[in-house]
């Protein structure tokens, strides 16, 4: 079936020119205002690789220092900054961002979509990333880089390091973590809601399954670190003793929060990379993946199990053996899904006819290295062995085998594979092979000896070692290997940056792959996809005859941009039934300003310039409100439009049908996880200390928290009432309800503060008042955001941008308030009631 | 390349692969079994990969069977068995009943060691641990500043030393000899320079050694050591260091009562020789970055030598 | 099979079935860890013997395996829905999508059961808090 009149070539050309105009990439300096996934994805990838090269150079400096015993190439102080930055930059500025970057580039293509659901959010995420990353990396040139290791254990980093390094780490990286959560929200919604019609959940590309799982993992893994960062910075800046044992604190709380983040983090790094392999293997085997459902098992299973491993980084802390044993069991269990997917790849290769190619060469290298790393992982999962291997070079070897085998080589393979899709040209076969062998040999020469070096007794994070311990030759060999690897990286980088102007474009679908992203023309057109097809197979380019021709001739959905707007389809979650035509904004400067001002908040706070911080914060709020006002909840000029093939779809959705509502919901899940981490901290102190709370009267009492809870709940109910008033076109009721709600919000915040303030709780005296205060501060901050939202909704209706039908803003606000009500109620219950129950 | 690596040997004073206790030996054995198993699994996977890539295409059913058996069933069994092996090696309550108790406090960047005795007060020394063969020694670990970790690889695994907590580690050496322990948790500037020699002796020798350590310091017999003692006290060294039997009773720094008899200086950093004492005194911060002890470079050469002679004589 | 179940509805709930078994594993893990940690921190005596906690965790394990078993049965039935449902479930039909979700659920139940048993093995081999 096709839209009537679509056969006309002139009509097709008209559509193409309108699509080109709507999706045009800005030129000149305006190029940097682009928000389309193609541009943002490219910048993100380039930035991530630059940070990787920077961290790699730091590693080479470390290896020179360790090449011979008792070396003095760098001082201890410099070395300690080098290893801290190497780890932090690689993990936070390369490993996670590179998956975000790749996803931004390729996921919409794989799903037949023209962009991600929130393009400005992706652009904002990129600008936050580059500003935060430059800040963190730049610190070493001023000798203020962090020096506590990438995990920054207190009390060393809270009480014994007075310089700015730790603050640079905390604030720089918190800023970037916000960007990661934004990316996670987008990717989850992209996979669930922005698919081509007919792409039911059993037909989605395997990459999409992995990204869905990883997005959900980010929501539960990053917030505990953000909560921990908050406690950490409060201790450093204001002396609230969360990790100071002399005042009731405990350094172990940081370790728990960090590793609840840190362990899933490594799977957040690994899974998207192995997802690339899952896309490449079927292509080069010439057949669909064998064991598609097993791979779904592997992705979902790894995602869940990875949250039960974190204490295996803490086996040496003296926790009860039984606790350690639980984590040992889970750590062994996670090897099962990890292995299953590898056997799926092998099974596919077995059942297919493998053709040789550069991407598959890198995948083979990845397999050889990763399997070895996985096997040493199984070793250190056992407690008695880990008690020897922990904090030695054995673990350094293990982590590099799994990271470089599980992420480095697959990403390199993905780079060679997807490069033509992004740029239209191929990378060099010859240079790629040379780079591969240098990388593979160099890597093994560098890291294989480290297993032995560690078990012979060399601890981690040492700037030098003594002669005659048995480390000398091993370290020298490792250093040589590192430089061979560096040579490989150099060849790779040269292949990427060398001018290719005279190289012809690659043929379309150069690898003869079966999935939708290879509809891309060489070079790609800015519209992403010419028309959005109906999908009937996991490998549509192989199974659906004439698909390419039909897409190119605009015979499917949205072949045109009649109103000159950027549009794609929103579909249902399970069966991808089209439910809405979504319009997204084009290039803008507001995201750059928002990122810059928000960056200012974090950067000025690092230096303790609090006035500048506040000013920057106000400007950031203004930028974000401008962005929301001009770019979201837009009332369309007509309720629905014809999207092709005789289908009419609404142009606006609110509530659970809208992607905006989903974004709020998912973000709040992340927010609640951070809140839960703070509450966990409260109960953790109660468990491990005898003096928490110090007595039944030591808390903020019951009176003020009860009032606070009542006021917050009332504000919530009034906000919900306002939504109902709006729906029934009761303008007076709407403004009254929201106005009253706003007043009650302020009163509730005041009551919440009154509790600890009027009972004289001093947060610097003991961790108990500090914990009560941090819960109160969290609550007040959320009430403040809720207040801004209430006032925003008042303004929107007043300006006619919110109507009884087009009510997305108030719906999202009430959704936020549902979560805030829970936060408020739980906070008050914990701080008011627990001292009665739990005091000694 | 693996053979070349192994040819460099597994020995060393700080090697977990040269065990001197039953516990460490059991872990080393576990390790070798795991290496053998891992090598076999790795080779099998690579072989399947090569066959899959080069061989003729097989059926999809064969592929599914590979996934089920090799990907799910076999790993479940192997990992389950390995987990049981690992859990059984964890110490039981009985394994942790002690014959000898030693408090060790990790400080930036040295070790305060205190032997607890049933008959008599504790015996304090620093930067060295000596143990009787065959006895279960319980180490009671703590730290007043940052997190350190106590690790003697030849005798067993490590344990963190965490401010605000007491952690415990039981080691039972079975072989006489000299070994080395090190700090295994990044603790700031000189973390790399925080180690200690470990000597395992026959029980009778150990008792004799401990009695000698418990005794107060021997007064220096002759010059230049006597002048050294006078300089030591005059320059305020006693404010931080203790030498039992003299006025020096500071507890901020290591106990020096028998420092001359130790196997190393500065927490495993310098050999125990008079010239090294002098070098340390003159340039503490150059030898151990960020160290708390000030350098005494303002003292004249012969004054430094005298103090060194005095300290050397504190056997 | 009843007529109502004959056409598998595409409710969002269908995707959640996948998560039941791993969620049971997670809850079992949390319950076991918290019980042991609280007991060892607050109520264990000097010898640190675990006693009652091991029985409690054993009970949790039995309950968890039962819940996973029930989910596995549902997943299996869903996987075998209709006449013609061989793997791979890659046809563009509601029936195959239904079968795919059932099979994925079944596989996740297998993994969750194994992981629950691994975690529970701790109480068999470790008898004290020390």
């Amino acid at each position: 079936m096709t839209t009537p009149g679509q056969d006309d070539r002139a009509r097709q050309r008209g559509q193409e020119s309108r699509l080109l105009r709507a999706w045009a990439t800005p030129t000149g300096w305006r190029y940097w205002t682009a928000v389309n996934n193609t541009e943002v994805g490219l910048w993100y990838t380039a930035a991530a690789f630059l940070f990787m090269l920077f961290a790699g150079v730091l590693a080479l400096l470390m290896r020179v220092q360790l090449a011979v015993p008792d070396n003095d190439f760098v001082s201890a102080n410099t070395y300690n900054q080098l290893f801290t930055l190497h780890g932090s930059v690689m993990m936070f500025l390369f490993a996670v961002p590179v998956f975000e970057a790749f996803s931004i580039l390729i996921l919409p293509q794989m799903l037949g979509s023209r962009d991600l659901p929130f393009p400005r959010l992706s652009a904002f995420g990129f600008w936050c990333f580059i500003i935060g990353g430059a800040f963190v990396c730049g610190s070493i040139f001023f000798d203020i880089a962090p020096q506590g290791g990438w995990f920054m254990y207190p009390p060393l980093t809270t009480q014994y390091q007075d310089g700015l390094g730790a603050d640079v780490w905390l604030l720089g990286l918190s800023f970037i973590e916000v960007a990661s959560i934004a990316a996670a929200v987008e990717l989850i919604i992209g996979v669930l809601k922005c698919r081509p019609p007919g792409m039911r959940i059993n037909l989605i590309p395997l990459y999409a399954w992995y990204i869905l799982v990883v997005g959900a993992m980010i929501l539960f893994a990053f917030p505990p670190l953000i909560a921990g960062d908050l406690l950490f910075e409060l201790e450093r800046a204001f002396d609230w003793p969360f990790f100071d044992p002399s005042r009731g604190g405990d350094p172990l709380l940081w370790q728990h929060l960090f590793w609840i983040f840190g362990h899933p983090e490594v799977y957040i790094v690994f899974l998207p990379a192995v997802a690339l392999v899952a896309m490449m293997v079927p292509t080069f085997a010439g057949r669909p993946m064998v064991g598609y459902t097993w791979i779904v098992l592997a992705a979902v299973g790894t995602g869940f199990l990875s949250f039960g491993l974190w204490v295996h980084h803490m086996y040496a802390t003296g926790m009860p053996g039984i606790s350690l044993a639980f984590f040992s069991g889970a750590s062994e269990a996670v090897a099962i899904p990890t292995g299953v997917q590898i056997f799926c790849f092998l099974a596919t290769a077995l059942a297919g006819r493998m053709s040789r190619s550069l991407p598959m060469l890198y995948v083979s290298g990845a397999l050889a290295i990763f399997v070895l790393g996985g096997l040493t992982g199984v070793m250190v999962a056992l407690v008695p062995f880990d008690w020897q291997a922990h904090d030695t070079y054995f673990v350094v070897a293990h982590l590099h085998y799994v990271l470089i085998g599980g992420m480095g080589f697959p990403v390199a393979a993905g780079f060679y594979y997807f490069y033509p899709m992004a740029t239209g040209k191929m990378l060099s076969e010859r240079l790629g092979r040379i780079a591969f062998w240098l990388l593979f040999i160099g890597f093994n020469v560098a890291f294989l000896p480290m297993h032995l070096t560690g078990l012979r007794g060399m601890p981690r994070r040492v700037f030098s070692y003594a002669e005659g311990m048995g480390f000398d030759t091993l370290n020298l060999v490792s250093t040589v290997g590192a430089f061979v690897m560096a040579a490989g990286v150099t060849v790779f980088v040269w292949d990427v940056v060398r001018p290719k102007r005279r190289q012809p474009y690659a043929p379309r679908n150069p690898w003869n792959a079966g999935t939708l992203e290879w509809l891309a023309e060489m070079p790609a057109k800015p519209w992403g996809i010419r028309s959005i097809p109906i999908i009937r197979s996991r490998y549509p380019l192989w199974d659906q005859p004439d698909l390419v021709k039909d897409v190119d001739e605009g015979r499917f959905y949205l072949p045109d941009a009649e109103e000159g707007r950027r549009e794609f389809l929103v579909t249902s979650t399970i069966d991808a039934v089209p439910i809405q035509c979504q319009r997204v904004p084009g290039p803008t400067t507001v995201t750059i300003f928002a990122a810059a001002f928000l960056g200012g908040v974090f950067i000025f706070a690092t230096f303790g310039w609090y006035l500048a911080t506040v000013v920057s914060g106000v400007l950031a709020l203004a930028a974000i409100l401008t962005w929301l006002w001009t770019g979201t909840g837009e009332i369309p000029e007509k309720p629905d439009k014809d999207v092709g093939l005789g289908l009419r779809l609404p142009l606006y959705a609110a509530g659970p049908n809208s992607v905006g509502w989903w974004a709020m919901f998912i973000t709040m899940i992340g927010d609640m996880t951070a809140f839960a981490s703070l509450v966990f901290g409260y109960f953790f102190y109660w468990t491990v200390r005898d003096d928490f709370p110090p007595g039944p009267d030591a808390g903020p009492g019951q009176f003020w928290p009860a009032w606070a809870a009542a006021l917050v709940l009332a504000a919530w109910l009034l906000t919900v009432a306002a939504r109902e008033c709006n729906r029934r076109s009761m303008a007076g009721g709407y403004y009254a309800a929201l106005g009253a709600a706003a007043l009650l919000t302020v009163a509730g915040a005041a009551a919440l503060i009154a509790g600890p303030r009027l009972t004289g709780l001093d947060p610097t005296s003991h961790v108990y008042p500090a914990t009560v205060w941090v819960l109160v501060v969290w609550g007040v901050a959320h009430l403040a955001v809720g207040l801004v939202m209430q006032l925003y909704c008042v303004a929107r209706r007043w300006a006619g941008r919110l109507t009884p039908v087009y009510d997305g803003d108030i719906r999202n606000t009430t959704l936020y308030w549902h979560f805030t009500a829970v936060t408020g109620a739980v906070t008050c219950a914990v701080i008011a009631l627990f001292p009665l129950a739990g005091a000694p | 390349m693996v053979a070349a690596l192994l040819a460099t040997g597994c020995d060393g004073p700080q090697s977990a692969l040269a065990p001197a206790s039953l516990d460490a030996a059991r872990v080393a054995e576990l390790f070798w079994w795991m290496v053998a198993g891992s090598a076999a699994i790795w080779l099998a996977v690579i072989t399947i990969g090569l066959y899959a890539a080069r061989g003729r295409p097989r059926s999809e059913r064969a592929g599914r069977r590979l996934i089920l058996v090799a990907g799910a069933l076999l790993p479940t069994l192997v990992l389950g068995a390995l987990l049981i092996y690992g859990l059984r090696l964890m110490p039981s309550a009985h394994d942790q009943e002690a014959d000898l108790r030693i408090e060790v406090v990790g400080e930036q960047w040295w070790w305060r060691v205190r032997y607890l005795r049933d008959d008599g007060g504790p015996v304090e020394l620093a930067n060295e641990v000596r143990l009787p063969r065959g006895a279960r020694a319980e180490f009671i670990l703590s730290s007043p500043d940052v997190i350190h970790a106590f690790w003697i690889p030849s005798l067993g695994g490590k344990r963190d030393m965490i401010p605000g907590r007491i952690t415990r580690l039981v080691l039972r050496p079975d072989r006489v000899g000299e070994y080395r322990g090190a700090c295994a948790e990044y603790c700031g500037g000189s973390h790399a320079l925080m180690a200690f020699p470990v000597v395992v002796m026959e029980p009778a020798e150990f008792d004799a050694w401990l009695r000698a350590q418990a005794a107060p310091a021997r007064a220096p017999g002759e010059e230049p050591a006597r002048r050294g003692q006078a300089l030591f006290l005059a320059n305020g060294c006693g404010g931080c260091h203790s030498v039992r039997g003299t006025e020096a009773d500071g507890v901020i720094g290591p106990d020096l009562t028998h420092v001359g008899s130790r196997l190393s200086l500065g927490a495993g950093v310098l050999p125990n020789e008079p010239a090294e004492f002098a070098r340390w005194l003159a340039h503490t911060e150059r030898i151990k970055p960020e160290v708390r002890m000030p350098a005494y470079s303002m003292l004249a050469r012969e004054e430094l030598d005298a103090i060194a002679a005095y300290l050397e004589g504190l056997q | 099979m009843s007529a109502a179940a004959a056409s598998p509805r595409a409710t969002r709930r269908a995707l959640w079935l996948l998560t039941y078994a791993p969620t049971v594993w997670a809850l079992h893990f949390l319950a076991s860890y918290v019980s042991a940690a609280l007991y060892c921190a607050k109520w264990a005596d000097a010898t640190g013997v675990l006693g009652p906690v091991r029985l409690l965790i054993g009970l949790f394990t039995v309950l968890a395996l039962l819940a996973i078993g029930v989910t596995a049965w549902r997943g299996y039935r869903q996987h075998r829905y209709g006449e013609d449902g061989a793997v791979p479930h890659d046809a563009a039909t509601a029936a195959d999508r239904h079968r795919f979700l059932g099979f994925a659920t079944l596989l996740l139940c297998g993994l969750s059961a194994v992981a629950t048993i691994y975690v529970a093995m701790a109480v068999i081999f470790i008898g004290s808090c020390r």
Side-chain angles (χ1 to χ4, degrees), chain A residues 77-101:
Chain A
N77 180 42
T78 306
Y79 186 88
N80 296 338
Q81 292 179 53
L82 286 175
F83 79 73
T84 302
L85 263 191
H86 169 75
S88 304
V89 171
M90 280 296 192
M91 293 302 283
F92 290 107
L93 299 182
F94 171 62
V96 172
V98 84
F99 112 75
E100 289 165 2

Side-chain angles (χ1 to χ4, degrees), chain A residues 192-193 198 200-203 209 212 256 288 292-294 296-298 300-302 304-311 319-323 325-327 329-330 332-333 336-337 535-538 573-575 656-657 662 683 685-690 692, chain C residues 8-15 18-19 22-23 25-26 29-30 32-34 36-38 40-43 50 54 57 87-98 100-101 103-104 107-109 111 114-115 118-120 122-123 126 128-130:
Chain A
L192 289 180
K193 305 292 291 175
R200 298 172 191 264
I201 198 81
N202 60 324
L203 303 181
W209 270 111
L212 175 63
H256 280 292
Y292 177 100
T293 315
W294 289 92
V296 173
L297 159 77
V300 176
T302 307
F304 271 88
L305 291 182
S306 69
F307 281 88
L309 273 54
W310 84 85
V311 167
M319 287 169 67
I322 180 110
S323 301
F326 291 137
F327 288 90
E332 296 292 10
I336 298 173
I535 297 303
R536 290 189 228 288
S537 154
R538 287 174 181 165
T573 313
I574 303 282
D575 278 338
N657 275 331
W662 275 101
F683 288 101
Y685 288 124
W686 171 72
T687 305
V688 300
R689 308 277 314 199
D690 290 327
F692 188 103
Chain C
R9 287 171 50 234
T11 58
R12 258 195 297 271
R13 196 169 22 97
L15 201 52
L18 272 185
T19 63
T23 304
W25 167 83
F29 185 89
L30 215 54
S32 305
Y33 175 43
V34 169
L38 278 178
C40 288
K42 296 277 181 200
W43 299 304
L50 278 175
R54 293 167 92 178
I57 292 174
V87 280
H89 300 310
D90 60 352
T93 63
D96 240 17
R97 177 259 301 150
H98 192 66
F100 158 76
L101 288 172
F103 186 41
L107 290 180
L108 278 164
C109 289
L111 176 64
V114 169
Y118 277 14
V119 168
V123 298
I126 312 282
S128 91
C129 287
R130 294 193 57 189

Side-chain angles (χ1 to χ4, degrees), chain A residues 3-23 114 527 530-531 550-562 643-644:
Chain A
T3 311
Q6 191 59 24
D7 293 333
D8 178 15
R9 225 0 243 151
R11 177 184 158 117
Q12 287 176 17
R13 273 198 299 275
Q15 292 173 338
E16 282 163 24
S17 75
R18 282 188 290 276
L19 273 177
L20 271 177
R21 250 203 316 278
W23 288 93
R114 292 210 166 105
W527 54 51
R530 173 71 178 81
S531 58
D550 287 341
V551 166
D552 283 349
E553 290 176 2
R555 293 180 187 283
F556 290 108
Y557 295 106
L558 290 181
D560 199 349
E562 293 102 333
V643 297

Side-chain angles (χ1 to χ4, degrees), chain B residues 60 64 75-77 79-80 83-84 87-88 90-93 96 138 168, chain C residues 47 49 87-89 103 107 114 117-119 121-123 125-126 128 130:
Chain B
E60 193 176 308
R64 290 184 175 282
T76 302
L77 292 170
L79 291 170
L83 179 64
I84 293 175
L87 289 177
R88 292 186 66 189
M90 286 175 68
S92 70
Q96 299 179 68
E138 180 184 35
R168 292 163 200 275
Chain C
T47 65
V49 164
V87 280
H89 300 310
F103 186 41
L107 290 180
V114 169
I117 292 171
Y118 277 14
V119 168
M121 286 215 274
V123 298
F125 293 97
I126 312 282
S128 91
R130 294 193 57 189

Side-chain angles (χ1 to χ4, degrees), chain A residues 312-381:
Chain A
H312 75 208
H313 301 272
M314 297 162 64
Y315 279 160
T317 56
M319 287 169 67
I322 180 110
S323 301
L324 304 185
F326 291 137
F327 288 90
S328 188
S331 302
E332 296 292 10
V334 82
I336 298 173
T338 310
V340 161
Q341 67 210 321
I342 293 182
F343 279 95
C344 293
F345 303 150
L346 291 174
T348 306
L350 196 66
R353 186 178 292 278
M354 293 303 294
S355 54
R356 315 192 89 177
S357 68
L358 201 49
M360 282 313 290
L361 183 60
Y362 278 86
V363 167
S364 320
L367 186 79
I369 294 175
F370 178 73
V371 168
L372 205 157
L375 290 166
T376 55
V378 161
M379 293 186 195
V380 288

